[in-house]
Amino acid sequence: MPSDEIIYLDNNATTRLDPAVVEEMLPFLTTSYGNPSGGYQFGAQARQAVDQARERVAALLGCQPGEIVFTSCGTESNNAAINSALQFNPRGKHAVTSSVEHSSVLRHCEQLVKRGCDVTFLEVDQNGDVDLAQLEQAIRPETAIVSVMWANNETGVLFPVEKIAEICREKRVLFHTDAVQAVGKIPIQLRDCAINSLALSAHKFHGPKGVGALYVNRRTRFVPSTLGGGQENGRRAGTENVASIVALGKAAERAAECMVEEQTRVRTMRDRFEKAIAENVSGTAINGALAARLPNTCSVSFEGIESGAALALLDRHRICCSAGSACRTGSTEGSHVLRAMELSDERVRGSLRFSCGRFNSQEDIDRAIDIVPKAIEKLRSLSEAVATGSPTGVAS
Ligand code: PLP
């Protein structure tokens, strides 16, 4: 009998707000509503809160507060970084990215192609890794930017972005990384690193949706995409979303505090889940298992099932997970990430992503380990019954 409490295993889609974050942002939604640009004490309070948030985000990333630009989300940060590089470099007629990026980079690059810019989409191997020699070869004299994600949202596979940034620095090409899934999950130290810009999003690490940031190295020229008032030091116009920025700052502080303990605890839960699934369900393959991965993500393919049907059945048991990425749920194409890894159609069709987070308990994992194998078994016997035309006798 399904229990009423949800088992939330979709932390790469979004995360629950940390109560400390809610507490810190609430006054800025109620009493402290001043505009940070106001020339009075009431406005200055809001400005100080935004400055404190900037310091907290910078501390999490190991960079300077002045290198942080607040934005509305990870998508905006990615778009702004790529646009800036192309506008800034008059020879910039070419960009390099990978074929497994999030849609906020891929769709943007596809749009650039329509506007006459050439884009190289790097392939990945079966483990989901990029070939650094191929990446280096892809850089040309007219390349304006290389944009490669830090951690893949579907498989959790980590790209060696620090090494890639070094290659780009030697070739004098800007390097941007979409670190939306990495920030808050793994340690990041941008000081003395060759990364020019980095995107992050609060809702992936227990902050609210609709607020993000773009790190822009102090020596990197930046052309803003959003023009208007001089907010964010002229780099992103628009009255600051103070409450959300404060929340992002607090979420960053909490991530820094919890990082060491959480990495181990979350990895242990993910590994326990993965091991149990692999042992108890035949025809199972963990995607990206041989690559360096985020500690929280499990992308798994089950032979003989359709992920859409599995999601629906698991939902009835109150398990929240995704087919590939959350953005893909409902799409019939199948994951572009798993296809890029050249996995078979069957493996792509039968893939599910489970992602753990700060508020998962061992009990959640116990319940998932109990429910998932039974659900897969049920789906397999149903499709076998359909194939053979025999009555199933399987109650839903
Ligand atoms: N990049 C990656 C890797 C993501 O996983 C996401 C969100 O799923 C984004 C970018 C977009 O972030 P946001 O939802 O804040 O626009």
Side-chain angles (χ1 to χ4, degrees):
M1 184 70 185
S3 147
D4 272 353
E5 229 173 274
I6 65 162
I7 306 171
Y8 189 75
L9 295 175
D10 205 13
N11 286 273
N12 284 10
T14 197
T15 54
R16 182 172 146 189
L17 278 172
D18 190 305
V21 169
V22 180
E23 194 184 326
E24 191 115 345
M25 81 186 285
L26 269 181
F28 296 92
L29 290 169
T30 52
T31 48
S32 302
Y33 53 83
N35 187 322
S37 303
Y40 34 78
Q41 198 44 42
F42 190 50
Q45 274 172 19
R47 192 166 59 247
Q48 280 155 17
V50 169
D51 287 345
Q52 186 188 39
R54 207 182 301 283
E55 281 163 21
R56 286 170 166 175
V57 174
L60 179 66
L61 301 182
C63 67
Q64 293 179 9
E67 295 176 310
I68 300 298
V69 180
F70 291 117
T71 64
S72 67
C73 58
T75 299
E76 182 191 328
S77 301
N78 283 331
N79 276 245
I82 295 170
N83 282 340
S84 168
L86 288 165
Q87 281 190 47
F88 166 62
N89 185 344
R91 296 176 303 134
K93 298 263 181 290
H94 176 238
V96 177
T97 190
S98 85
S99 50
V100 295
E101 298 293 306
H102 182 261
S103 51
S104 56
V105 170
L106 277 185
R107 293 289 93 77
H108 191 53
C109 287
E110 284 163 12
Q111 195 58 35
L112 293 175
V113 172
K114 285 189 188 145
R115 285 197 242 131
C117 177
D118 198 6
V119 181
T120 303
F121 296 91
L122 296 166
E123 300 297 326
V124 295
D125 64 18
Q126 289 219 329
N127 300 324
D129 281 324
V130 273
D131 180 339
L132 295 191
Q134 245 172 44
L135 182 139
E136 195 167 350
Q137 277 161 20
I139 299 173
R140 315 175 192 159
E142 70 273 22
T143 306
I145 187 165
V146 174
S147 179
V148 173
M149 69 203 315
W150 199 315
N152 189 277
N153 45 305
E154 296 192 23
T155 57
V157 170
L158 299 168
F159 283 155
V161 287
E162 282 127 326
K163 278 192 200 150
I164 297 173
E166 282 301 332
I167 294 172
C168 293
R169 172 148 68 187
E170 274 167 32
K171 298 248 174 192
R172 300 178 149 274
V173 172
L174 291 178
F175 177 66
H176 170 73
T177 185
D178 170 0
V180 164
Q181 291 292 346
V183 171
K185 296 187 184 124
I186 55 169
I188 290 179
Q189 178 54 257
L190 294 174
R191 195 171 299 117
D192 306 323
C193 170
I195 293 172
N196 295 98
S197 58
L198 171 150
L200 63 87
S201 180
H203 75 104
K204 305 295 184 177
F205 55 101
H206 306 287
K209 295 161 192 62
V211 61
L214 178 65
Y215 155 84
V216 184
N217 179 277
R218 62 198 171 284
R219 286 183 286 272
T220 301
R221 288 269 304 273
F222 180 70
V223 183
S225 292
T226 315
L227 302 173
Q231 291 92 349
E232 294 300 287
N233 222 352
R235 292 171 298 180
R236 201 270 188 180
T239 303
E240 297 86 342
N241 181 354
V242 178
S244 294
I245 289 172
V246 166
L248 166 55
K250 188 65 184 175
E253 187 186 69
R254 291 283 298 136
E257 282 165 8
C258 301
M259 180 84 64
V260 174
E261 183 272 338
E262 208 162 281
Q263 265 190 308
T264 315
R265 189 169 50 83
V266 167
R267 183 187 295 278
T268 307
M269 282 196 270
R270 190 274 311 268
D271 288 352
R272 191 159 75 82
F273 173 74
E274 237 173 50
K275 189 163 175 282
I277 296 300
E279 280 173 7
N280 298 330
V281 189
S282 60
T284 299
I286 306 295
N287 303 315
L290 298 180
R293 276 189 300 159
L294 286 173
N296 79 318
T297 309
C298 168
S299 166
V300 53
S301 291
F302 297 101
E303 270 171 25
I305 65 142
E306 297 289 332
S307 52
L311 282 184
L313 184 53
L314 291 174
D315 190 28
R316 295 185 58 179
H317 289 275
R318 311 281 283 150
I319 292 187
C320 305
C321 61
S322 288
S325 68
C327 318
R328 186 158 325 279
T329 302
S331 135
T332 48
E333 276 171 36
S335 156
H336 71 286
V337 175
L338 301 184
R339 278 188 285 121
M341 289 162 72
E342 293 193 342
L343 304 186
S344 67
D345 284 350
E346 185 182 26
R347 217 168 131 178
V348 174
R349 275 200 312 270
S351 75
L352 293 176
R353 179 190 71 184
F354 300 88
S355 44
C356 305
R358 181 172 304 161
F359 297 110
N360 283 124
S361 62
Q362 294 295 347
E363 202 190 15
D364 288 342
I365 303 302
D366 289 341
R367 283 179 57 206
I369 287 173
D370 180 43
I371 294 166
V372 174
K374 289 181 192 155
I376 300 300
E377 199 46 52
K378 182 178 287 188
L379 289 168
R380 283 176 178 165
S381 51
L382 278 173
S383 53
E384 209 178 286
V386 169
T388 57
S390 65
T392 67
V394 181
S396 63

